[in-house]
Amino acid sequence: MKTSAATCRFDAYHVLPDSPQMQKDFLVVAASLMTRSSEAYAKEVVRIAQVNSILPMTVEGFQEYPGRGLGGLIQLPDEQRPRAVIMGSREFMNQCGLEIPAILEVTARKWEKESGSTILLVGWDAWVRGVLRFLAA
């Protein structure tokens, strides 16, 4: 999670399962965490969510681990209880004990190899649910 705001732009994301509901939940979580973040990527993620008519939700117990990741409790729309969610580097996800599904692992490794590419992972309920890619501008 190390890049200056002026040098990155949001490029793509991949979620699993790849359904409209997961895409929406993924963007809600990412935008909600980034609304509270000081990370360089924050404005880009919130902008992409807004373009997709996604509004950030309140984050309870927000924690930021500079250069590594973010976390907190978010109640997704149409759910009765909040979920513990995290977003960050591959190392941060591993430290937090989240598993990466094989198909998202393939996507993450492919994007990591591309020049000027940086990825962030987003997850909850013990699994990484999606990958975000940013490219150097």
Side-chain angles (χ1 to χ4, degrees):
M1 293 182 66
K2 297 172 189 150
T3 261
S4 73
T7 63
C8 72
R9 67 175 174 80
F10 179 86
D11 183 63
Y13 69 92
H14 181 194
V15 299
L16 189 70
D18 191 6
S19 69
Q21 186 62 50
M22 181 55 73
Q23 289 177 15
K24 180 179 176 186
D25 290 348
F26 177 79
L27 287 174
V28 165
V29 168
S32 299
L33 289 171
M34 285 298 197
T35 297
R36 303 275 309 270
S37 175
S38 63
E39 291 290 344
Y41 309 107
K43 288 181 183 175
E44 274 286 285
V45 173
V46 173
R47 180 184 67 79
I48 293 303
Q50 290 172 339
V51 165
N52 286 281
S53 301
I54 303 293
L55 298 175
M57 305 296 289
T58 300
V59 180
E60 294 183 33
F62 177 79
Q63 299 252 334
E64 185 163 11
Y65 305 90
R68 295 178 32 219
L70 316 164
L73 295 172
I74 297 173
Q75 186 167 332
L76 293 170
D78 303 322
E79 291 194 0
Q80 300 302 313
R81 63 175 181 81
R83 295 177 182 263
V85 298
I86 60 173
M87 174 181 210
S89 66
R90 175 188 299 278
E91 296 78 22
F92 185 67
M93 293 293 156
N94 288 335
Q95 290 169 356
C96 293
L98 271 70
E99 293 191 47
I100 303 174
I103 194 163
L104 292 181
E105 181 69 40
V106 168
T107 297
R109 289 193 184 280
K110 177 184 173 199
W111 287 351
E112 286 170 333
K113 289 179 184 176
E114 294 175 8
S115 178
S117 182
T118 301
I119 67 160
L120 293 177
L121 305 171
V122 179
W124 58 89
D125 296 341
W127 291 94
V128 170
R129 304 297 177 153
V131 183
L132 291 159
R133 178 173 64 178
F134 298 88
L135 295 176

